[in-house]
Amino acid sequence: MSADTQATPGLSKKGLGAGSVGLIGAIVIGISCIAPAYTFTGAIGPTVGAVGTHVPAIFLVGFIPMLLVAFGYRELNSRMPDSGTSFTWGVRAFGPWLGWMSGWGLIAATVIVLSNLAGIAVDFFYLALSQIFQNPDLAALTKNPIINVVTCLVFVALATMVSYRDMKTTQKFQYVLVGFQILVLAVFIVVALVRAYDGDAVDFTPIQLEWFNPFGVGSMSAFAAGLSLSLFIFWGWDVILTMNEETKGARSTPGKAATFAVILVVVLYLLLAVAMISFAGVGTTGTGLQNPEIQENAFFFLAGPILGPLAIIVSIAVLSSSAASLQSTFVGPARTLLAMGHYGALPARFGKVNPKYFTPGFATIVSAVCASVFYAVMRIVSEAVLQDTITALGIMICFYYGLTAFACVWYFRKQWFSSVRNFFMQFLFPGVGGLILAVLFVMTMVDSFDPDYGSGSSVFGMGLVFVLGITVILIGVVIMIIQRFRHPDFFLGKTLTAGIAGDAQEKEAAEADAAIEEAARNAGR
């Protein structure tokens, strides 16, 4: 038996605590990473600006590639439950080079998001303080770069402390924050709709079925812009799969949890969109959702008109959403780095697990340091630059989600037509999902080359978003080449090899996983 299939009873093959997370816990952590309150408050305005009242239609269309890709993730996980997810599956399907870049795409995307989440948490922290103490000057503290960065580093440190501990601590933390967030959003939706139809709306707009018609969007460019924004609000569900070695029922539970999380979030987004548009309208003045002054933070401006004195709970909900997501988002890159260290794609230290908490301690700290440095540098350079890094995130999402979807198609290539289920789940669904993301990747790269894209900043005549996206990918290529010379065994296929569904390595890993799960069940009795 190879070194990577040996395991201590009750632990995964990488030393993670097996059986620590159940179905409900996985769903909660997935929703937490998506951060519906945080993502929606910033996305609804720009999306309305792109497609008007057809936001529900765009959300549904954006949901489709996420769901199709989720099916591919579920299929791969059912055969290879490995914390490396996109990295490991990419290697098994395409070999070490593309697999390494798949892992890099996930790591880069999550580091960008971690830094942004911390920044949002800072904004809402001081906003909540200003509302509690009725002192507008407190909200302005976030504009001070030094105070902003120092507070951000404190939030990152606190989130790192929770993530460093065992997954049961993470679950308890998430139950409270996610539960509160969903409760507040539900209250917001109900009150907004009731007041709208009672005649108390600022700009009442009756709900129409046309809002759900994607063909009603004015132009293809508007459709593409809205779709790109909608992809961002669904991103994060794949963190559930990175916990597969720590989940009860490693081969089935993560896939089910990811599907449930995506479906629950799209329902929540649709209800929020309908409630906001119905109450506030899509005008360009006042509380209209196309008013440039409110597009960065729609909840902040609508909470008062809708909830009155209870508006403070919305600020706290968005703060808890960003804080919860900041903590849960650490799970993904830490476990991907752990897998890359375990298989020799990175220095061995990344593959070490904390002996007390059974978590990837070193990888978690590295993720925190990278996110902190990235945020501090970008925030001090320019807020516009920081905003463009978030826009560039869409490029990375399409990159590694698309590669993972194609990995599913290619890995199961000899089983496509063995059953109707395989045709849809292993070929058609992930293939279409990957193709959609590939098209969006190319379109975004082409569009972002224009200096007017994003903040309007440019470098040597090229749009800053394009430069950032290309730079992030090229940094990954450089690091990969360095690792090729420092750790050649992985790139020579000696630690993890390309294969196909049903090969010897997969069967050996399946036997080891079954033994681990049995040991975990026995330990829990």
Side-chain angles (χ1 to χ4, degrees), residues 57 76 83 124 129 147 227 229 238 283 382 472 495:
L76 288 166
S83 68
F124 277 92
L129 287 180
I147 293 177
L227 187 57
L229 287 165
D238 55 311
S382 168
V472 170
T495 60

Side-chain angles (χ1 to χ4, degrees), residues 297-314:
N297 189 352
F299 276 138
F300 172 68
F301 289 94
L302 292 179
I306 291 175
L307 296 178
L310 292 178
I312 180 64
I313 66 172
V314 176

Side-chain angles (χ1 to χ4, degrees), residues 110-129:
T110 46
V111 165
I112 292 173
V113 169
L114 281 168
S115 64
N116 187 56
L117 285 167
I120 292 293
V122 172
D123 290 342
F124 277 92
F125 173 70
Y126 287 111
L127 175 60
L129 287 180

Side-chain angles (χ1 to χ4, degrees), residues 255-288:
K256 293 178 183 176
T259 305
F260 286 146
V262 173
I263 292 173
L264 289 172
V265 167
V266 74
V267 170
L268 183 62
Y269 283 157
L270 290 174
L271 292 173
L272 281 168
V274 166
M276 275 196 178
I277 294 173
S278 183
F279 182 89
V282 295
T284 57
T285 60
T287 57

Side-chain angles (χ1 to χ4, degrees), residues 357-380:
Y357 299 118
F358 308 116
T359 58
F362 179 74
T364 300
I365 292 173
V366 169
S367 300
V369 170
C370 290
S372 298
V373 171
F374 181 84
Y375 179 83
V377 172
M378 293 297 102
R379 180 64 180 78
I380 291 173

Side-chain angles (χ1 to χ4, degrees), residues 466-477:
F466 174 84
V467 173
L468 287 169
I470 288 293
T471 299
V472 170
I473 293 174
L474 290 180
I475 288 174
V477 172

Side-chain angles (χ1 to χ4, degrees), residues 21 45 99 113 160 203 217 253 264 278 350 362 373:
V21 184
V113 169
T160 304
D203 183 13
V217 178
T253 300
L264 289 172
S278 183
F350 284 94
F362 179 74
V373 171

